[in-house]
Amino acid sequence: MRYPVIELLLAEHAANRAGESFSLVFADIDRFHATNEAMGKEVGDQVILQLARRLLEVVGNRGTVARYTGDEFVIALPCVGSDEAAALAEQVRQAVARPMRLPSCEVMTTVSVGVASYPQRVDDIGELLRRAEASMSRAKQLGRDMVYLYSEQDMRRIEDRRMLGMRLRGALQQGELRLEYQPQIRSSDQAVIGFEALLRWTSAELGRISPDRFIPVAEGLGLMPELGAWVLDRACAQSRQWLDAGLGDFFVAVNVSAQQIQRGNFAELVTAARERHGLPADRIELELTESVLMENMERALSSIHQLSASGVKIAFDDFGTGYSSLSYLRQFQVDKLKIDKSFVHDLPHDSNSVAIASTVIAIGHQLQMEVVAEGVETPEQRRLLIELGCDALQGYLLGYPMSAAAVESWLRDPRRPA
Ligand code: C2E
Ligand code: MG
Ligand code: MG
């Protein structure tokens, strides 16, 4: 049995009052790790003890308080519906927030609290616990020291992600992943300068799923280093094959996720992948977003230095959608900026978008970077971007993402619009 106290309570509840609601309240101390570190484990233990006393006081005979793990407590509330449980959770939060007088010092601490309820009967206690914990995590994300209760709709979305995650784990082994390649065209002479590799997943059970949906799930599960390594390897292999076929002088660009940088040996992995396929450095490019850089300042900086030294070019993807683009531009010496498609979308009619596009192009050029626009869909967008001095273009107007085989016939097609 995985949750002994709660299972026991539940059995009792089921025996006595079938058909009535059941709620769980999940409380986790905020920054407990920091308290332990700053004040010592003994003080940490006393905080847990005081907290337990306060929880018992608030709950009284309405339910049972159980210590779940280190600084996590679960309160089981038989015959209590979601409104009453949320009210009790708020009392818990307030009770904990009062200063704690300990033998050696006074401590201020707070908890983040999640609530989950079954209105009539409990089908699955593990599921209820997961919901309460997920609600607690959301409370932490929203700033801590608060109560959160996921709506049914939210819970369905979380479930959906969990289901996607379970399928995604097997996707690589089952050969459900592949890459498509979208061309980048130089403005000055319409030459094909590269292809961006884009990951595709067609699940046997769920059909085609877009990367905007499954990549966040993969990140949540920590699968991105594995998927990213596979993408890098396939992209290098493909790039080498096209080089051997003499199809032209172009690179393959690979998107990099934050988790790949977190590992710390990213530059070595790139070099190893290149060497495995005998691929020259100028045949591969890496696309990093601002959030990738932001989450891993130090590691990103050192990876970028190493990669640049090895001759691999780096592009700043989705530029303009993050927070403090300019300070990153100063710190990170990248070779290219990709103007995010959300800015391209409203060209040429929206004057703000025109101002942003022309400013990004000017900044990029001042910093000796090439500027690429993504999401170019109309001839008007193309004309304006070229007029503004944008160096290269990518988008449905110039070419859709294609399979490797389709790229080959596309490149050989004499009627390809240039
Ligand atoms: P991204 O790197 O910004 O990729 C460009 C996205 O814009 C692609 O979406 C592409 O299909 C789409 N696109 C291209 N031209 C147009 C256009 O003219 N109009 C519009 N509306 N969209 C256009 P996709 O393939 O759905 O990928 C979405 C995102 O998923 C990518 O955005 C990238 O952040 C991520 N991604 C895709 N493959 C990988 C991968 O292998 N690794 C990682 N870490 N992320 C990936
Ligand atoms: Mg990209
Ligand atoms: Mg992009």
Side-chain angles (χ1 to χ4, degrees):
M1 212 179 280
R2 281 189 58 209
Y3 322 107
V5 182
I6 304 160
E7 293 274 1
L8 212 65
L9 258 164
L10 194 67
E12 194 185 278
H13 173 69
N16 295 335
R17 324 225 188 177
E20 290 201 50
S21 50
F22 188 93
S23 297
L24 287 182
V25 169
F26 198 110
D28 182 300
I29 304 181
D30 296 325
R31 306 185 207 277
F32 187 58
H33 182 68
T35 310
N36 263 335
E37 236 168 40
M39 310 178 84
K41 287 248 169 8
E42 237 163 72
V43 170
D45 286 349
Q46 286 163 5
V47 167
I48 299 264
L49 209 62
Q50 281 255 354
L51 186 112
R53 285 205 191 100
R54 289 183 187 187
L55 295 190
L56 287 168
E57 214 171 279
V58 169
V59 174
N61 56 10
R62 289 187 281 177
T64 302
V65 179
R67 183 170 175 197
Y68 185 53
T69 64
D71 66 335
E72 295 173 330
F73 287 82
V74 174
I75 304 167
L77 300 164
C79 306
V80 170
S82 63
D83 289 351
E84 197 184 334
L88 182 138
E90 176 56 23
Q91 288 171 358
V92 163
R93 187 195 67 77
Q94 287 178 18
V96 174
R98 293 199 316 266
M100 289 183 180
R101 218 152 289 136
L102 307 179
S104 55
C105 57
E106 192 176 274
V107 175
M108 299 282 280
T109 191
T110 58
V111 278
S112 296
V113 193
V115 182
S117 296
Y118 272 126
Q120 279 159 7
R121 63 197 162 77
V122 184
D123 306 318
D124 179 352
I125 189 71
E127 173 59 26
L128 192 62
L129 192 63
R130 261 199 303 279
R131 289 184 179 199
E133 188 172 2
S135 294
M136 180 279 293
S137 299
R138 188 73 190 132
K140 291 236 186 244
Q141 276 169 15
L142 291 171
R144 302 184 176 89
D145 188 19
M146 65 179 283
V147 174
Y148 196 84
L149 193 160
Y150 266 120
S151 67
E152 263 305 305
Q153 201 187 349
D154 290 333
M155 285 320 310
R156 242 173 281 130
R157 221 185 40 233
I158 291 175
E159 268 311 292
D160 184 53
R161 286 180 61 130
R162 215 162 60 85
M163 191 257 309
L164 218 60
M166 269 156 30
R167 302 252 152 71
L168 191 52
R169 283 186 194 281
L172 198 56
Q173 285 76 29
Q174 276 139 36
E176 294 180 346
L177 298 178
R178 67 203 158 75
L179 292 180
E180 283 189 347
Y181 301 88
Q182 185 179 32
Q184 280 182 24
I185 309 291
R186 187 159 55 210
S187 302
S188 59
D189 60 359
Q190 322 312 317
V192 177
I193 54 167
F195 287 88
E196 177 173 5
L198 294 161
L199 189 53
R200 298 290 176 253
W201 177 26
T202 311
S203 153
E205 286 121 330
L206 308 169
R208 223 181 133 123
I209 298 153
S210 97
D212 284 330
R213 232 180 114 204
F214 74 79
I215 285 177
V217 174
E219 299 208 308
L221 292 172
L223 293 175
M224 263 340 266
E226 197 189 333
L227 291 189
W230 181 85
V231 170
L232 193 61
D233 185 74
R234 288 339 299 152
C236 285
Q238 189 58 65
S239 190
R240 178 72 229 184
Q241 209 176 311
W242 284 334
L243 175 62
D244 291 339
L247 274 173
D249 189 12
F250 53 76
F251 58 81
V252 172
V254 172
N255 291 287
V256 179
S257 98
Q259 278 170 7
Q260 288 173 275
I261 300 279
Q262 260 158 30
R263 289 277 171 104
N265 60 345
F266 182 64
E268 285 93 333
L269 288 177
V270 174
T271 306
R274 278 206 298 115
E275 282 170 356
R276 216 165 27 247
H277 299 284
L279 191 70
D282 62 356
R283 285 274 168 167
I284 192 99
E285 206 171 278
L286 299 167
E287 296 194 0
L288 279 73
T289 60
E290 208 169 340
S291 65
V292 171
L293 304 180
M294 227 164 77
E295 280 173 43
N296 311 274
M297 269 298 204
E298 292 302 316
R299 291 201 161 151
L301 262 178
S302 88
S303 297
I304 288 177
H305 281 148
Q306 282 180 62
L307 288 164
S308 297
S310 76
V312 173
K313 284 208 174 133
I314 307 220
F316 214 152
D317 203 359
D318 302 344
F319 188 74
T321 56
Y323 298 100
S324 47
S325 315
L326 295 180
S327 94
Y328 288 109
L329 276 187
R330 194 161 50 99
Q331 287 182 60
F332 294 97
Q333 285 294 313
V334 299
D335 306 282
K336 284 190 183 181
L337 288 186
K338 292 188 82 175
I339 306 177
D340 189 65
K341 54 179 177 288
S342 59
F343 299 114
V344 173
H345 186 263
D346 295 326
L347 297 180
H349 311 290
D350 178 60
S351 60
N352 288 342
S353 296
V354 175
I356 289 172
S358 65
T359 307
V360 171
I361 293 168
I363 291 175
H365 287 168
Q366 290 275 327
L367 294 170
Q368 331 302 331
M369 296 171 181
E370 272 175 54
V371 183
V372 184
E374 57 179 29
V376 182
E377 293 179 355
T378 68
E380 293 75 30
Q381 290 168 348
R382 170 167 62 182
R383 194 171 319 120
L384 178 67
L385 284 161
I386 293 178
E387 210 176 283
L388 294 174
C390 193
D391 302 292
L393 307 175
Q394 180 182 344
Y396 299 157
L397 179 72
L398 305 126
Y400 285 95
M402 303 170 257
S403 68
V407 163
E408 287 157 29
S409 33
W410 182 82
L411 281 170
R412 292 194 169 113
D413 183 359
R415 287 157 305 155
R416 174 163 57 84

